[in-house]
Every structure is written in C-alpha cells, then in structure tokens.
C-alpha cells in the first residue's frame, strides 16, 4: 500500500523509504524497532514503548531517541497524513551507515523511520504449533526487539505449514518462552502464569501492563503446564490479548478471554 512515511527528518512516499546500501540495519540487523497501536493519532502505551526502546538502545550501544514528545507528535502527524484513525505504526531505529564488517564507525549517525498501516481486526482466537526452534536466554535477539528476526520468521513459516496461526517457542532448556510475535499467559485454578524474562522472553508492553494490573506468577514452566490450563492466551501491542484454542491440534483452555484480562482492554 502506498502512503507517507517519516525518515530522518523528511516526509516521503513509502516507496522511497528503502535503507541506504551501507545501512547496518539492513546489512547486519544492527537496530531496534517498536510496533505501536495508534488510535486517533495517539499511540497506546507510548511511554512503555519508549522506555523499552531506551533500555534496549542503551544496552546495545545505540543512541536512542531523546525527544519522546517529538516522536509522539510525529506519530500523530503520520497517522493524519495517511488518513488512519486506527493504525499500526512501526518505529525503526538503525545504527545508520558504516564500513564493511562488524565494527561500527567511531561516530554513529542513527537512522529513524516511521511507517504506518491500517490496523486489522484482531483474530477471535489463535491456534498454536510448538516450534523446534528454541530461544537462548543469553541471546540479545530474544531479550530485545532487534531487527534480527529470522528465528521468528522461520518459526511462523513452519507453524503456518502445519495449519497453525502462530508458533509457540521454548527456551534452550525446554521451558515455555512465548509466541513468535507475542507473550504467553495462562490461568490455572484462577491464578495467572507467564514465562519469566529469563526464559528468552521479550518484555512486551501489554505483558507489562498485565503484570502491573494483577498478581501474576512469572517463572520457568514446562510445556505440559498448558494441558491443564483453564485459559491460554497470547498478547502483543497490536491485537492486545487473544485466547488460544489449540496447541498442535489439541484443544487447550476454554477458548475465551478471562474477564479480568478483557477488562484491561475495555
């Protein structure tokens, strides 16, 4: 879809947003991104997204965006220029151009791009397929929303080939980690559980809101914990929370979102 994007200080047509041939984001995945749900020009959970971006940029040695208010204004203008009232905006921050090889230039000139698309209606439910790909708790690409997304791409491709909507990944020790683009939760005996970040989990913005809203036990759990769950659901910034109906073709949970979780998104 054609539209308008923001790139390094300019408003341009989306067809012209391609990275330069020396951009480390495109060559090496040296960068970060955030996916934001934008309603009437306002990004949902904007402060959580900016805080996560700042933490990741600091740990990875990238100059993070310093003007959060300015970015919020740009997102609002981006949605307006594309005539979108309910949008998904992607913020992409790369290390910018650099010489051939792994070492960054002495002075980084980061590149910032904002693109927007219409938000699709969230699915009523999700079918999961257990992936053979495993996340390493020590991996930066598991803990941060980097541009290196090949594990997730491959996991989704395999899941779709097996008739599922999304892949479910474990860590290298076999503990539950999460969906290929989502965090994982379940209810057992009325208590809410989720894998801990030490299980190769990306600290999602919706995940953080749920943890701040109610008691949740985060830890290392085997896959068979889901077999006896009353409800299983996945979360991300774009669709909020969606119940899971099957895992590898076998029914799990009630297929309905718990009322106390649905209330967060009301």
């Amino acid at each position: 879809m054609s539209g308008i994007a923001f790139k390094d200080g300019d408003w341009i047509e989306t067809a012209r947003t391609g990275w330069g041939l020396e951009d480390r984001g495109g060559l090496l995945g040296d960068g970060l991104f955030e996916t934001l749900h934008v309603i009437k020009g306002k990004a949902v959970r904007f402060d959580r997204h900016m805080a996560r971006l700042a933490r990741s940029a600091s740990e990875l040695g990238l100059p993070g965006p310093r003007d959060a208010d300015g970015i919020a204004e740009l997102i609002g203008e981006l949605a307006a220029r594309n005539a979108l009232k309910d949008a998904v905006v992607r913020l992409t921050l790369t290390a910018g151009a650099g010489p051939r090889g792994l070492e960054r230039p002495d002075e980084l000139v980061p590149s910032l791009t904002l693109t927007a698309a219409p938000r699709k209606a969230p699915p009523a439910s999700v079918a999961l397929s257990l992936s053979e790909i495993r996340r390493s708790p020590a991996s930066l690409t598991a803990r941060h929303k980097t541009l290196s997304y090949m594990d997730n791409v491959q996991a989704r491709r395999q899941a779709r080939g097996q008739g599922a909507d999304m892949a479910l990944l474990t860590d290298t020790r076999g503990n539950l980690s999460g969906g290929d683009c989502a965090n994982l939760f379940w209810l057992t005996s009325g208590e809410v559980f989720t894998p801990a970040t030490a299980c190769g989990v990306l600290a999602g913005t919706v995940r953080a809101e749920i943890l701040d809203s109610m008691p949740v036990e985060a830890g290392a759990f085997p896959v068979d914990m889901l077999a006896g769950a009353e409800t299983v659901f996945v979360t991300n910034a774009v669709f909020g929370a969606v119940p899971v109906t099957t895992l590898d073709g076998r029914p799990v949970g009630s297929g309905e979102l718990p009322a106390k979780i649905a209330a967060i998104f009301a």
Side-chain angles (χ1 to χ4, degrees):
M1 186 188 81
S2 62
I4 303 299
F6 176 87
K7 182 174 175 62
D8 299 331
D10 295 315
W11 295 100
I12 60 178
E13 296 179 1
T14 52
R16 297 177 50 229
T17 59
W19 288 328
L21 297 179
E22 296 181 342
D23 192 289
R24 294 176 60 86
L27 294 174
L28 300 171
D30 191 358
L32 298 161
F33 74 100
E34 291 287 331
T35 306
L36 302 96
H37 180 196
V38 178
I39 303 174
K40 295 181 179 179
K42 302 293 184 182
V44 180
R45 303 177 193 89
F46 178 76
D47 290 344
R48 293 187 187 275
H49 282 284
M50 290 300 101
R52 179 173 65 183
L53 181 62
R55 289 193 302 269
S56 292
S58 176
E59 184 168 341
L60 300 181
L62 289 170
R66 298 178 181 176
D67 184 7
D69 290 340
I71 291 178
E73 292 177 2
L74 287 172
I75 288 173
E77 184 172 352
L78 176 68
R81 284 174 178 259
N82 287 280
L84 295 173
K85 293 183 178 180
D86 191 3
V88 176
V89 168
R90 171 168 164 143
L91 182 158
T92 304
L93 176 71
T94 81
R100 196 198 71 80
L102 296 181
E103 293 188 22
R104 290 171 174 167
D106 292 336
E107 293 187 16
L108 281 180
V109 181
S111 173
L112 176 69
T113 303
L114 297 172
T115 56
R119 176 177 176 263
K120 297 179 181 178
S125 62
V126 169
L128 295 179
S129 173
L130 187 62
S131 177
E132 63 185 25
I133 297 171
R134 297 195 171 192
R135 288 176 174 151
S136 168
S139 173
L140 292 173
T141 60
R143 301 200 311 272
H144 302 284
K145 206 169 178 69
T146 76
L147 300 180
S148 304
Y149 239 55
M150 185 50 67
D151 280 352
N152 299 293
V153 170
Q154 184 71 356
R156 172 63 65 87
R157 187 182 72 83
Q158 292 174 352
R160 296 296 289 174
Q162 294 169 4
D165 303 304
M166 182 185 297
L168 174 64
L169 291 87
T170 58
D171 67 13
T172 50
R173 296 163 295 190
N175 297 315
L176 287 165
S177 181
D180 55 41
C181 71
N183 289 123
L184 176 72
F185 290 85
W186 64 95
L187 272 74
T188 301
S189 299
E191 295 186 31
V192 184
F193 297 84
T194 193
T197 54
C199 298
V201 172
L202 176 71
T205 57
V206 175
R207 178 183 185 274
E209 184 162 345
I210 293 174
L211 266 62
D212 287 346
S213 301
M214 65 186 66
V216 177
E217 183 174 342
F221 305 106
V223 176
D224 61 14
M225 280 285 290
L226 301 182
E230 297 153 13
T231 304
V232 181
F233 61 99
V234 289
T235 65
N236 73 17
V238 175
F239 58 58
V242 174
V244 174
T245 53
T246 61
L247 173 59
D248 289 338
R250 296 185 294 274
V252 293
S254 66
E256 298 181 357
L257 201 61
K260 60 183 176 181
I261 299 299
I264 297 176
F265 306 97

